[in-house]
Amino acid sequence: MHVLNATELIPALQKQWRTVSFADIAADAGRIVGISKEGLKILYWDLTSEHGSGASWSEYIMPALGPAEDLNSIDKRSVEVFSADLEKLRARGVTQVGLWKRSR
C-alpha cells in the first residue's frame, strides 16, 4: 500500500485511475457495510473501463461529499446513529469484554 501525502500530486494520481484504482476498495467497503447482492453486482461491474462503476463512482459521490447541505446531512445522521447505539450500550449496563490478554 502506498500513501499519497502531497496534495499537489492527487490530480496526477486521479488521472491514472485504471492503474491505481480505488474502485475495488469502494466495492469491498460496500460488502462490509452490508450493501445488497444486487448493489454489489453494480459496484463490482466493470471496474476498469470508463463504462463501469469505478469510473462513474466519483461523479455520483463527490456532490454528496462537497461542502454543502448533503454532507451536513450525512454527518448529522451518522452522529445520530452513533449516539443511539451508544445509548443502547449504556442502557445494558456494565459489560466486561476481553479485548487484550496479558502474557507473562
Side-chain angles (χ1 to χ4, degrees):
M1 172 184 265
H2 297 283
V3 176
L4 180 68
N5 59 6
T7 55
E8 66 273 8
L9 296 177
I10 292 173
L13 178 66
Q14 289 175 328
K15 289 178 183 177
Q16 303 300 321
W17 62 271
R18 283 188 178 98
T19 306
V20 182
S21 175
F22 299 102
D24 288 319
I25 296 169
D28 288 345
R31 184 177 37 80
I32 291 167
V33 299
I35 290 181
S36 68
K37 287 182 181 181
E38 295 80 12
L40 288 175
K41 282 183 183 179
I42 293 168
L43 284 177
Y44 281 106
W45 175 74
D46 197 11
L47 292 175
T48 58
S49 85
E50 59 274 2
H51 304 294
S53 64
S56 62
W57 184 75
S58 61
E59 175 185 340
Y60 297 104
I61 197 68
M62 293 310 287
L65 297 179
E69 189 56 36
D70 289 338
L71 182 58
N72 292 338
S73 296
I74 292 169
D75 287 345
K76 182 180 177 188
R77 182 65 184 139
S78 66
V79 169
E80 290 170 353
V81 169
F82 185 69
S83 178
D85 287 346
L86 285 179
E87 182 57 34
K88 288 177 191 174
L89 288 173
R90 189 195 64 75
R92 290 183 192 167
V94 176
T95 302
Q96 286 187 346
V97 293
L99 296 177
W100 297 278
K101 290 184 179 182
R102 291 186 178 178
S103 59
R104 294 182 186 218

